[in-house]
Amino acid sequence: MDSKQFKEAATSAIDEIVSYYDTIHTRRVVSNVEPGYLKKLLPAGPPEDGEPWAKIQKDIESKIMPGLTHWQSPNFMAFFPASSSFPGMLGELYSAAFTAPSFNWICSPAITELETIVLDWLAKLLNLPDCYLSTSHGGGVIQGSASEAIVVAMVAARDKYLRETTSHLSGIELEDAIAYKRSKMVAVGSDASHSSTQKAAQIAGIRYRSIAVTKETNFALTGAALAKALDQFKAEGLEPFYLTTTLGTTSTCAVDDFESIASTLAKYAPPDVPGEIWVHVDAAYAGAALVCPEYHHLTAPFKHFHSFDMNMHKWLLTNFDASCLYVKKRKDLIDALSIMPSYLRNEFSESGLVTDYRDWQIPLGRRFRSLKIWFVLRTYGVKGLQAHIRKTIKLGETFAGLLETRKDLFEIVTGPSFALTVFTIVPKVPGSEAQDKVTKDVYETVNKRGEIYITSSVVGGVYVIRVVSANPLAEEKYIRKAFKILVETTEELRDGKLPRDQPSNGVIVDVKGVGIEKVAA
């Protein structure tokens, strides 16, 4: 493909993408293909001779589209959104054109420096404390996902804890002390924390414990619950070194009590003292709301913590992947993750005057992801981003208001919170077992029909449905459509008019974050 052919192919591809977005609301949201469908449609191997683009492009609609779940559809109300925007797409296009692994500053200075600049822009927009800016001892770095960010933070926390608590030893005594401490160290989260904390502990070779959260605290972790858990760990001879707190939990969008957590930790393990507990704020989805001043009050306690992460690719109009991790002390990352083989040495890195982001992450190479963030920030501006967040929060309030008009059918469990509403179906015959059954039946039937896509969860032992409409194409008419579908399906099921002879392709999100699993019909 030469430059002329590329221009023709790219024009055709863009036309098709624009048409896809213009008509996406008409497509079935969830793919209903059978496992292995694609292997039956594709040949056993690549063609011997190259094929023209026109032939390749035809296979997008006929072979790929049937196997896609359309996350950008306004009828997609499951999980959390995975935003996409045209400025973000243009950023990806340029990034692909420039293609550079960019592990060192010298590999492409603009790639490193733009990342530093736009993440400082974003930190100020989110009202993060100044300690997270690159102009202080901290700074930001783009990771692939919030899960990846938690792994990076936990590895840094582990090494920091071991380094500080064994600094008085050397030789074989040091090795033995590190081995012993690793056997006692424990990473901590709450029952509502995302499963990525447990997975990070598994990767880091560290124990993991979760702290129970209850409806009485709106499923948020509190300082009192943390204090009780820390006392228990101490009694068991364990050494907590890392804690994930959450701004917007997966199941309910709960916000942990950061102030009381900071107060508890100040008594248990004072900050900046060897052996302190590293606190990470996982704000993967709801952190985007911090662009609005009305949420700025949430960030004040973050000055007591060590790291913060939010995904621009969830709610802030930037294509996957763009997870923005901030640390209060970048030295903690560099000490844990830096290795300097001879083939990476260069005068700029050794001068100490440049940033090499390879030392802030697990992989060596990295993509030019800051470009799409730069394009999005400049295209929408602060006011445009705030307008998007406020619009979708309003949609969540509208949906919750609709549920309130049919209290005979629906009971709100939590929310609306950051555009997410969590609710159950009211059974005809009272009882938790009947409630769980009818809620599950409604959820499965709605997803089986494919007009909208929703997810379920188990919160406080109760089976619930989650609805969040927060992607760029979300509108009130689709919220009202979803409500209508839920009402009609609930009434049909409660009256026993609906057959149950087809399997569901829905998913359930476990409140403990153990993962996602298929729900049997």
Side-chain angles (χ1 to χ4, degrees), residues 223 230 235 286 292 299 338 354 368 376 403 418 453 455 477 487 495:
L230 293 177
C292 298
T299 66
S338 179
V354 301
F368 197 176
V376 167
L403 294 180
F418 300 102
Y453 186 32
T455 41
K477 64 182 179 181
V487 168
D495 291 340

Side-chain angles (χ1 to χ4, degrees), residues 105 113 347-356:
W105 176 87
E113 296 193 10
E347 60 178 303
F348 300 101
S349 295
E350 293 180 353
S351 73
L353 299 177
V354 301
T355 297
D356 288 336

